[in-house]
Amino acid sequence: MAGSSTARSKGRPNKVAGGEGFYDRELEDLPPELRWREWMQRVEAVIFASAEPVSRETLARVVGKECSIDLLIDDLVEELRDRPYELVSVAGGWQHRTRPRFADTIRASSAPTRGGAAALSEFEAMVLMAIGYFQPITRGELSKIFGKEVSRDTIGNLRGAGLIGSGPRSPTPGAPYTYVTTPHFLSAFGMETLQDLPNIEALEDAGLFSRPIVENEPLSSDAESVEE
């Protein structure tokens, strides 16, 4: 393990993306065990340095073409088993996350943290939940769900936090924008795909959510004004 990070390959180097210099991905001069250890360290370094989940395609740029990313990740997960942080699969990639049992400790320390969900008001969180379950959905349809106007400020705050973005135009009169969740939404709430959202029937049974009935009649032009 010692010295593996400083090893230099004597084999044919791989050209770095962009054409500037060379980067040895294959490490053909290293024995198999040291080569695997170096690939593990490279993958962990890339994930550790990133503020967002790192995709398989990104990790493949720093290891050999025959290297199994999944097996590397499995070894890293095992290696971190006794650490206060772990490697998790979220939003189509991998990310370092502090283990949930240390959440109170981190809050008590008042230390600044990176990533995670933005601080939302209760109503903003409810609107975000509705978008998650019923996307793509317009602002007017959201207003119908809650029985009161969902303001542009509310939508703007969720967009500013990177949790939602614009979806396709609605086929209703005026062709208003719809809203959808983003990959950051998945990352912030520790989900790999939208299929990881809690079962809506279970939420209803627990009294935590009431399934809305969005009428099919045209919405007023005021409620469904076009937004950029």
Side-chain angles (χ1 to χ4, degrees):
M1 180 174 178
S4 63
S5 62
T6 59
R8 295 291 181 267
S9 173
K10 297 178 183 178
R12 186 172 61 188
N14 306 105
K15 200 167 185 179
V16 173
E20 297 181 1
F22 292 90
Y23 181 78
D24 184 8
R25 292 167 47 193
E26 300 298 337
L27 302 175
E28 293 176 347
D29 65 321
L30 293 179
E33 289 186 4
L34 289 182
R35 183 185 309 139
W36 188 259
R37 168 58 59 179
E38 175 67 11
W39 283 340
M40 284 177 61
Q41 291 179 341
R42 289 180 177 187
V43 165
E44 185 173 11
V46 171
I47 295 172
F48 181 83
S50 177
E52 296 293 336
V54 181
S55 69
R56 181 185 303 274
E57 291 75 15
T58 298
L59 295 178
R61 297 173 190 153
V62 299
V63 299
K65 62 182 179 180
E66 300 300 326
C67 176
S68 169
I69 298 295
D70 290 321
L71 292 179
L72 275 180
I73 293 294
D74 287 345
D75 282 357
L76 284 170
V77 168
E78 181 62 30
E79 192 165 275
L80 296 175
R81 188 171 298 280
D82 296 323
R83 304 300 296 169
Y85 50 89
E86 59 186 336
L87 202 56
V88 297
S89 176
V90 290
W94 289 277
Q95 190 172 43
H96 280 110
R97 291 285 178 91
T98 306
R99 296 188 185 276
R101 72 185 187 89
F102 292 100
D104 289 341
T105 299
I106 293 171
R107 281 193 290 267
S109 75
S110 299
T113 58
R114 66 178 183 180
L120 303 176
S121 70
E122 181 178 356
F123 185 65
E124 287 170 345
M126 292 173 64
V127 171
L128 181 60
M129 179 186 291
I131 294 172
Y133 280 108
F134 300 107
Q135 61 188 302
I137 188 169
T138 67
R139 188 167 67 90
E141 289 168 337
L142 287 167
S143 298
K144 280 196 166 188
I145 288 174
F146 294 103
K148 64 178 182 179
E149 183 184 10
V150 173
S151 70
R152 290 183 176 85
D153 287 342
T154 296
I155 295 297
N157 289 342
L158 294 175
R159 293 187 68 141
L163 297 168
I164 66 169
S166 295
R169 295 273 193 158
S170 170
T172 57
Y177 282 101
T178 61
Y179 298 101
V180 296
T181 55
T182 63
H184 179 63
F185 166 80
L186 296 175
S187 172
F189 293 96
M191 295 183 287
E192 189 166 1
T193 71
L194 289 172
Q195 293 180 347
D196 296 327
L197 280 167
N199 184 282
I200 193 168
E201 285 79 11
L203 292 180
E204 288 180 315
D205 291 343
L208 298 176
F209 194 74
S210 178
R211 187 192 300 266
I213 300 177
V214 179
E215 303 291 345
N216 292 322
E217 75 252 11
L219 298 168
S220 70
S221 58
D222 290 339
E224 290 284 39
S225 58
V226 174
E227 299 178 32
E228 296 295 337

